[in-house]
Amino acid sequence: MPPAPVAAGAVTEIPSAASCFELEGLSLAYGDTPALSNLTLRIPRQRVTAFIGPSGCGKSTLLRALNRLHDLNEDVQRQGHIRLEGQEIHAPEVVVAELRRRVGMVFQTPNPFPMSIYENVAFGLRLQVAMKKRQRDEVVEWALQSAALWDEVKDRLYDSAWSLSGGQQQRLVIARTLAVQPEVLLLDEPASALDPISTLKIEELIRSLKSRLTLVLVTHNMQQAARVSDYTAFLHGGELIEYAATDTLFTNPRLARTENYITGRMG
């Protein structure tokens, strides 16, 4: 039986002037296998938006579409539009490297480079910006402070990044992303492999960053989505089922399918 269509009013309208991303009729397939179907929504600027839904529903696929990671896969077919601050991200004049600087991404498993803590944070700066060492030092310190890691590593900046704990490595990766001053931070289950204390620090960090960044979070943890996000989108079978302010979606969902999922009656 095909999924029921999205009911009228099940998608919150974010004003265009307040949106960072605008998706219009976005569909994406891996070869002959559809992954996303006709998604239309706006993601608000300087807020945390969470994507929830069961495994295989298209959450991570959607996240990767926002900075064109699917360009690396020749089997991916796409229709529709993704606009960042009003500009189509697939337009010929868009430089993909610059797009990915503006729209940084942090993955589920921390991926520090095999170099020092300092050089991990400075890596993108060396590639993209010509600056004196003193200025680079200041940016590295700022990024580590922004990622709530500076106090833990300031006395061992030249130790291997691999000597850090898993939670510290994830915050280091976030610092590395912040160092090049993105406008958007995409987070693909950033705390799913971490212990509760490290997860709490990541969640505190997410809340603190939204004053200057747009954050988009994929999570299987609905309690986490409820704690840290301002808006939540529920996806199922590659379709957008419901999209609303987080408090509304979790306490008064408009659709029975949403309520069944968040209460555990639908996987």
Side-chain angles (χ1 to χ4, degrees):
M1 180 177 179
V6 177
V11 177
T12 291
E13 285 296 325
I14 306 295
S16 180
S19 64
C20 174
F21 276 108
E22 295 183 68
L23 282 63
E24 182 183 349
L26 178 66
S27 296
L28 191 145
Y30 297 100
D32 296 328
T33 305
L36 298 174
S37 178
N38 196 29
L39 301 188
T40 295
L41 75 155
R42 292 174 177 153
I43 296 173
R45 188 182 301 112
Q46 290 186 308
R47 295 290 186 270
V48 182
T49 299
F51 297 153
I52 64 169
S55 296
C57 72
K59 303 185 300 296
S60 293
T61 294
L62 176 53
L63 199 71
R64 285 161 169 74
L66 297 179
N67 73 350
R68 291 182 53 174
L69 279 184
H70 297 302
D71 286 12
L72 305 174
N73 187 337
E74 295 180 356
D75 291 333
V76 168
Q77 302 174 44
R78 175 193 53 82
Q79 294 180 323
H81 302 278
I82 304 173
R83 301 183 185 95
L84 172 62
E85 299 296 350
Q87 181 184 30
E88 170 61 53
I89 70 169
H90 295 90
E93 66 272 17
V94 170
V95 177
V96 177
E98 174 60 14
L99 172 68
R100 292 180 184 149
R101 184 202 65 79
R102 295 176 65 193
V103 184
M105 187 159 183
V106 174
F107 297 92
Q108 179 177 1
T109 302
N111 59 341
F113 299 146
M115 54 183 66
S116 72
I117 294 166
Y118 178 97
E119 289 299 337
N120 262 270
V121 182
F123 185 83
L125 297 174
R126 293 188 187 279
L127 290 178
Q128 299 182 23
V129 183
M131 63 174 59
K132 295 181 179 179
K133 184 179 185 303
R134 181 175 178 179
Q135 184 182 3
R136 187 166 59 246
D137 290 348
E138 291 173 352
V139 174
V140 168
E141 180 176 345
W142 169 84
L144 287 167
Q145 288 177 338
S146 298
L149 189 58
W150 173 253
D151 288 343
E152 298 171 40
V153 302
K154 62 184 179 181
D155 296 324
R156 50 179 181 137
L157 291 176
Y158 295 97
D159 288 359
S160 169
W162 290 354
S163 68
L164 299 175
S165 69
Q168 288 174 324
Q169 287 185 12
Q170 192 66 297
R171 282 181 285 146
L172 176 65
V173 171
I174 292 173
R176 186 176 70 203
T177 306
L178 294 177
V180 296
Q181 300 187 30
E183 301 165 35
V184 182
L185 186 59
L186 309 176
L187 300 157
D188 193 357
E189 299 191 63
S192 64
L194 303 181
D195 62 85
I197 293 175
S198 296
T199 296
L200 179 61
K201 290 183 178 180
I202 294 292
E203 291 181 2
E204 290 172 347
L205 178 57
I206 291 170
R207 284 189 289 265
S208 72
L209 288 174
K210 73 175 181 180
S211 63
R212 54 190 138 131
L213 290 173
T214 299
L215 295 104
V216 187
L217 169 71
V218 161
T219 180
H220 277 290
N221 186 328
M222 285 180 286
Q223 291 77 20
Q224 182 176 83
R227 286 192 297 266
V228 305
S229 69
D230 301 290
Y231 291 86
T232 298
F234 167 47
L235 280 74
H236 193 274
E239 295 187 337
L240 176 62
I241 305 303
E242 187 163 349
Y243 179 42
T246 295
D247 288 346
T248 299
L249 188 133
F250 279 100
T251 62
N252 188 28
R254 296 169 183 162
L255 300 181
R257 291 177 71 187
T258 309
E259 183 174 7
N260 289 341
Y261 179 73
I262 63 179
T263 56
R265 293 196 292 270
M266 177 181 77

